[in-house]
Amino acid sequence: MIEYPSVVVVSHPLVQHKLTLMRRASTSTANFRRLVREASLLIGYEVMRNLPLEMVEIETPLETMQAPRLAGKKLCFVSILRAGNGLLEGMVELVPSARIGHVGLYRDPHTLEPVEYYVKLPEDVAERIVIVLDPMLATGHSAAAAVDRVKHAGASQISLACLLAAPEGLRVFTEAHPDVPVFTASIDRELDEHGYIRPGLGDAGDRLFGTK
Ligand code: URA
């Protein structure tokens, strides 16, 4: 197996079990959606493991104490449309005060390069810790372009959270953004000639939204 220094495979048994259920072709849209939400809670826990804490004085019902709370920069989740929205719900449950950005990209049929059709980021994104959400890191081009956009807006502390990654996509993404750690539940075998991750779980957007 190739080693990617900035890639964390979230190997927690609960994540791996849920991923297996998601991969099954027989899993219904309702269950797929629920599983993605549950997995995003667990992956989010890993992505946010190193958030800085600061000590503050609080009053418990019994006494005054120094207690830790999240310090400094606030969070922003950036969903790559449309499948990124599947990971959003669990992340927002973990950090309800986070801001949310969206990036929409399509692949130009001639150049095969990602073309931006929608971007909306919080005005203060440059001051936030950004977690970009893209369940399927396939070619890596969309995620790399979305991170380009977020960096262009001034953000400097960025992570990418996904469910599955293809080795090809990881190579493209980590070469483009060696400073951006990638959190994934699995590195699958390969990307096929249609751009699907194999063995994969199919089209994440179609499975989440029931569009096929
Ligand atoms: N996007 C998907 O939804 N699935 C893949 O396998 C690859 C990209």
Side-chain angles (χ1 to χ4, degrees):
M1 163 99 68
I2 305 167
E3 295 287 329
Y4 302 93
S6 58
V7 178
V8 176
V9 176
V10 184
S11 58
H12 193 289
L14 283 172
V15 174
Q16 295 303 314
H17 179 78
K18 289 175 193 303
L19 181 58
T20 298
L21 298 178
M22 276 182 252
R23 288 183 189 275
R24 281 196 173 135
S26 58
T27 297
S28 68
T29 299
N31 283 335
F32 188 85
R33 209 176 272 157
R34 180 179 52 77
L35 288 160
V36 172
R37 185 189 143 276
E38 290 170 359
S40 70
L41 287 167
L42 298 163
I43 293 170
Y45 179 82
E46 276 307 318
V47 179
M48 291 179 256
R49 177 181 286 283
N50 294 320
L51 290 180
L53 294 171
E54 65 187 1
M55 300 306 281
V56 290
E57 190 171 289
I58 60 163
E59 299 290 335
T60 78
L62 301 175
E63 61 182 278
T64 302
M65 72 171 286
Q66 294 289 319
R69 74 167 178 201
L70 290 174
K73 288 187 176 181
K74 303 295 183 207
L75 281 160
C76 174
F77 301 120
V78 174
S79 167
I80 302 184
L81 298 172
R82 65 183 164 147
N85 282 0
L87 294 176
L88 199 49
E89 205 183 315
M91 297 280 173
V92 173
E93 235 167 274
L94 290 174
V95 188
S97 62
R99 299 297 190 260
I100 298 170
H102 292 91
V103 176
L105 302 155
Y106 70 89
R107 197 190 307 187
D108 182 290
H110 304 296
T111 65
L112 301 183
E113 289 299 313
V115 180
E116 205 176 278
Y117 66 85
Y118 184 79
V119 176
K120 190 78 181 173
L121 299 172
E123 277 178 4
D124 63 351
V125 71
E127 278 88 60
R128 289 179 180 269
I129 294 171
V130 176
I131 301 174
V132 177
L133 308 173
D134 186 6
M136 310 298 277
L137 188 65
T139 64
H141 293 303
S142 300
V147 170
D148 278 340
R149 194 65 176 73
V150 169
K151 283 185 176 174
H152 191 250
S156 56
Q157 205 177 332
I158 307 168
S159 307
L160 176 71
C162 47
L163 288 174
L164 292 187
E168 295 85 344
L170 275 179
R171 204 158 34 243
V172 166
F173 185 84
T174 54
E175 273 174 29
H177 298 292
D179 56 321
V180 176
V182 179
F183 293 78
T184 181
S186 173
I187 302 174
D188 272 16
R189 188 183 65 243
E190 63 184 352
L191 195 64
D192 73 13
E193 66 276 24
H194 305 292
Y196 280 98
I197 298 174
R198 297 288 186 127
L201 52 72
D203 186 301
D206 282 337
R207 297 202 63 190
L208 271 168
F209 300 113
T211 40
K212 216 173 231 171

